[in-house]
Amino acid sequence: MSSAPQINDPDALVLSPDPSHPANLIPELCAAFYKLGWVTGTGGGICIRTGDKVYIAPSGVQKERIEPSHMFVLPYPQPTTDRIFLRRPALNLKESACTPLFWNAFEQRNAGSCIHTHSQNAVMATLLWPGGMFEISHQQMIKGVRRGGNGLALSYLDTLRVPIIENTPNEEDLKDSMAEAMERHPEAAAILVRRHGIYVWGDDWQKAKTQTECLDYLFEIGVRMKLAGLPTVLN
Amino acid sequence: MSSAPQINDPDALVLSPDPSHPANLIPELCAAFYKLGWVTGTGGGICIRTGDKVYIAPSGVQKERIEPSHMFVLPYPQPTTDRIFLRRPALNLKESACTPLFWNAFEQRNAGSCIHTHSQNAVMATLLWPGGMFEISHQQMIKGVRRGGNGLALSYLDTLRVPIIENTPNEEDLKDSMAEAMERHPEAAAILVRRHGIYVWGDDWQKAKTQTECLDYLFEIGVRMKLAGLPTVLN
Amino acid sequence: MSSAPQINDPDALVLSPDPSHPANLIPELCAAFYKLGWVTGTGGGICIRTGDKVYIAPSGVQKERIEPSHMFVLPYPQPTTDRIFLRRPALNLKESACTPLFWNAFEQRNAGSCIHTHSQNAVMATLLWPGGMFEISHQQMIKGVRRGGNGLALSYLDTLRVPIIENTPNEEDLKDSMAEAMERHPEAAAILVRRHGIYVWGDDWQKAKTQTECLDYLFEIGVRMKLAGLPTVLN
Amino acid sequence: MSSAPQINDPDALVLSPDPSHPANLIPELCAAFYKLGWVTGTGGGICIRTGDKVYIAPSGVQKERIEPSHMFVLPYPQPTTDRIFLRRPALNLKESACTPLFWNAFEQRNAGSCIHTHSQNAVMATLLWPGGMFEISHQQMIKGVRRGGNGLALSYLDTLRVPIIENTPNEEDLKDSMAEAMERHPEAAAILVRRHGIYVWGDDWQKAKTQTECLDYLFEIGVRMKLAGLPTVLN
């Protein structure tokens, strides 16, 4: 069985000289996201799935200072209802509290990566769009977002709509309302969480990242437009 | 014929130890523009023309992570109406969708470089100046902009005027309206595209870049002034 | 007596190849805080206490350019009412004027680190909350703050409250009012100083830093909400 | 005569392995100022005087990309009314257009360094304080500014006052009005130029830089306070 050597030496799952290995990419991307203001104060992060393995960062740590050896590796799909790991870091760490929410993106959209940010642009958007949906139209950056996060790109003539769900005291408890919102809105490329942040997914980390950049840009300019008294949706 | 070795080894067109080679400069500059918020989410970029060769980045990729080997090289002028390449990257990439718009700058202003940004300062300017022209006067940074983008520098006493054209669903379809705006406004140093961004050109990449910095600064301060109720043009 | 070699060679207290040594961490963290806008113009900084030794940066220097050899080392607790040093830099430097305020955090909360910033988000919060307390509720980032700075983390359902004390012409004179505010508000994780900045502490530098990030985020979004006319505390 | 070798080999004036040599510091500091938004689009910069020599960057170049070999060196004081150089770069460059204004700081305040920025915080301050003086009180950062730029530090109880002069089409023509404002306001630590930027000086580059940081912070928070309807001077 090919997974035997991994069980014998689980550290081989995260130690690689290849900078594009998920265990190297996640620390690099988290440091970049910190500079963008997306993952300060231990919040937020990115997970990467490569076929049957999921790489996830620890919970409650400085996201701009994680190392490959801090990484958790989980099998996908999970074989039982208990959470199973292929590799855990030696340190006394817990996997990211976002894990069940990342799983929504894998299971419902076959995502290869999912990003969670606490960006103030996203949070301000949830405050200035008090209903259940952020909407903006007629912005070039809309073209960088894909239908459902994994389909064809939107057109400049499409209105971008991102569902907003209500926050819960425990991050894990968002799993069901996020799953439900994804099911009800199959064209949604991301889910906003009021007073909290956003979850964005894509076929791979590159698509998840560029879509997060486009969405964050659209939240920022949408907020600026709304505060300037400009309409954010044209007919 | 001197171009023969290039046809034999097109990679020699983009592989150089010289950091000022266009194939090295474009990745470096795009990474710098990413930090400025000009080219997030795969949008925006810079092309460089050195006499009879044009260096262009790929479309739809993370602009802060491109490499010299990703570069397209095109002959200038184009010998036929079909698009001809001297070199294409080995990967399955498409040249930037801005290519026809960059060509406007080469053909109409003999530019050596053209920059396209999605800067929010530019986009906010197109929203707060709803007509066909952004205007600002009495700002020192106006002196960093050249008449027509390639002429003498403006004076502090000149009013800066940047034409605004309407966006189109396909970036290529901006070619004609951009060309027309450039012809109608021979003193314009750049063309704003409403709800999209800006195209700025110059005799070389240094002049294109410093003019983009000056214009971006002027859009930013113009927007701040307008929102603060200050007049942006004095008599 | 084990401290004898330290008295013989006090520089050994600050010269270490280990990047996690406090004398190496403080310069690195101050440079990072400079990029965040927390410690410009010589103001602000961080101190670290490891058991019976306190590492403190000099006063009145560029905080993003300090070096391990600039560090002061003090014994903790201080054996007399005069200030005692285990090591002083060779240069003509004075220890940070924040030293007595850092001591409040050690003595009252057993802190292992204390951070002082002049962040504009903190200062704007003290201006827009003119009373004695900054308050915000229903923000995910509240969960990154601990009760009293060293206790259990707050819940999403808790209202974050940070006492605001009035500034004094001499930084040292803040000692008593800061101590009194900490005593009166045992759940406070930090003390804001009106028109000046903030003091934040934690069990170690990591917790002090991540709590400062969470608080700074909450001041920033609180200010943005207040200026947008949004309520910052929900019932 | 000791200056003979310098005349024989003027490049020795700018080539040094010492990172604290002015010809190395100026490029490093200009790159740092670019990141702060102080010197974009070729505008702004810093000069350093060490006794009888003044080091000045070229005019009209990208300030974040200058090199030690681009530096001009001038004798101080200038022996004649014609401008004399100890060293000029080999390239076809002109010395900074700020040179006469930097000279005001040397002659009137015996400065060792002078910084010129186009910071939007400074420019917005000149727009929102339409009279001849920017004023702010009761801010901790005021303590980082020295009387006259080279005297004792201001106290928290002092009101910071920075004179504002009107801009002129040619930068050189500011020399007289700047000199006059410095003479009329001996306590001024800097001179703002309306719709243009600021000149700040100090005994050495460190003091010039930290004072510029404090002033820029005060302009930024002053502008934010004014736009929020808060009074910027208390009695």
Side-chain angles (χ1 to χ4, degrees), chain A residues 57-115:
Chain A
S59 159
V61 300
Q62 299 178 81
K63 288 297 189 295
E64 79 281 16
R65 289 171 180 261
I66 49 179
E67 297 186 15
S69 64
H70 301 165
M71 225 47 54
F72 290 82
V73 188
L74 290 76
Y76 183 83
Q78 286 277 292
T80 70
T81 53
D82 290 334
R83 198 171 290 165
I84 301 294
F85 295 88
L86 297 175
R87 194 259 177 191
R88 288 162 164 284
L91 301 161
N92 183 21
L93 294 169
K94 204 180 164 322
E95 75 278 12
S96 168
C98 306
T99 304
L101 309 168
F102 292 154
W103 235 259
N104 283 341
F106 303 149
E107 292 179 338
Q108 292 184 252
R109 304 288 163 95
N110 194 31
S113 182
C114 188
I115 293 173

Side-chain angles (χ1 to χ4, degrees), chain A residues 4-232:
Chain A
Q6 291 163 5
I7 291 168
N8 286 343
D9 181 12
D11 284 356
L13 288 169
V14 298
L15 300 178
S16 164
D18 178 3
S20 70
H21 186 284
N24 294 328
L25 272 173
I26 289 175
E28 180 200 338
L29 291 168
C30 283
F33 295 169
Y34 179 81
K35 285 189 193 153
L36 295 173
W38 292 359
V39 300
T40 64
T42 83
I46 180 171
C47 72
I48 295 178
R49 180 174 72 87
T50 55
D52 62 355
K53 288 186 195 69
V54 175
Y55 297 79
I56 284 186
S59 159
V61 300
Q62 299 178 81
K63 288 297 189 295
E64 79 281 16
R65 289 171 180 261
I66 49 179
E67 297 186 15
S69 64
H70 301 165
M71 225 47 54
F72 290 82
V73 188
L74 290 76
Y76 183 83
Q78 286 277 292
T80 70
T81 53
D82 290 334
R83 198 171 290 165
I84 301 294
F85 295 88
L86 297 175
R87 194 259 177 191
R88 288 162 164 284
L91 301 161
N92 183 21
L93 294 169
K94 204 180 164 322
E95 75 278 12
S96 168
C98 306
T99 304
L101 309 168
F102 292 154
W103 235 259
N104 283 341
F106 303 149
E107 292 179 338
Q108 292 184 252
R109 304 288 163 95
N110 194 31
S113 182
C114 188
I115 293 173
H116 174 46
T117 90
H118 288 186
S119 169
Q120 295 211 357
N121 297 319
V123 173
M124 283 300 292
T126 69
L127 294 167
L128 291 171
W129 275 256
M133 192 69 78
F134 171 85
E135 289 185 301
I136 196 166
S137 79
H138 294 85
Q139 285 287 343
Q140 177 73 8
M141 292 293 268
I142 290 171
K143 295 176 67 176
V145 181
R146 289 168 185 274
R147 289 177 192 284
N150 59 358
L152 292 177
L154 292 176
S155 137
Y156 177 67
L157 300 177
D158 290 317
T159 295
L160 175 79
R161 291 191 177 84
V162 183
I164 305 171
I165 61 175
E166 301 305 319
N167 199 26
T168 55
N170 292 310
E171 195 136 7
E172 295 87 347
D173 296 340
L174 288 170
K175 183 174 172 64
D176 288 350
S177 57
M178 176 181 165
E180 188 193 27
M182 289 173 72
E183 210 172 288
R184 210 179 334 129
H185 303 287
E187 299 241 315
I191 301 292
L192 283 161
V193 185
R194 184 127 38 224
R195 300 171 175 277
H196 178 161
I198 192 167
Y199 287 88
V200 188
W201 54 85
D203 286 343
D204 50 35
W205 69 266
Q206 291 97 330
K207 291 200 180 74
K209 171 174 168 288
T210 57
Q211 291 194 90
T212 308
E213 289 172 352
C214 291
L215 290 165
D216 200 66
Y217 177 108
L218 291 163
F219 299 141
E220 182 177 1
I221 209 151
V223 167
R224 293 176 71 179
M225 290 172 75
K226 186 147 279 200
L227 292 177
L230 295 165
T232 54

Side-chain angles (χ1 to χ4, degrees), chain C residues 7-91:
Chain C
I7 291 169
N8 285 343
D9 181 12
D11 284 356
L13 287 169
V14 298
L15 301 179
S16 164
D18 178 2
S20 70
H21 186 284
N24 293 327
L25 271 173
I26 290 175
E28 180 200 339
L29 291 168
C30 282
F33 295 170
Y34 179 82
K35 285 188 194 154
L36 295 173
W38 291 359
V39 300
T40 64
T42 84
I46 180 171
C47 73
I48 296 178
R49 180 175 71 87
T50 55
D52 61 355
K53 288 184 197 68
V54 175
Y55 298 80
I56 284 186
S59 159
V61 300
Q62 299 177 81
K63 288 297 190 296
E64 79 279 17
R65 289 172 180 260
I66 50 180
E67 296 186 14
S69 64
H70 301 165
M71 226 45 54
F72 290 82
V73 188
L74 290 77
Y76 182 84
Q78 286 277 292
T80 70
T81 53
D82 291 333
R83 196 171 292 167
I84 302 294
F85 295 87
L86 297 175
R87 194 259 177 189
R88 288 163 164 283
L91 302 161

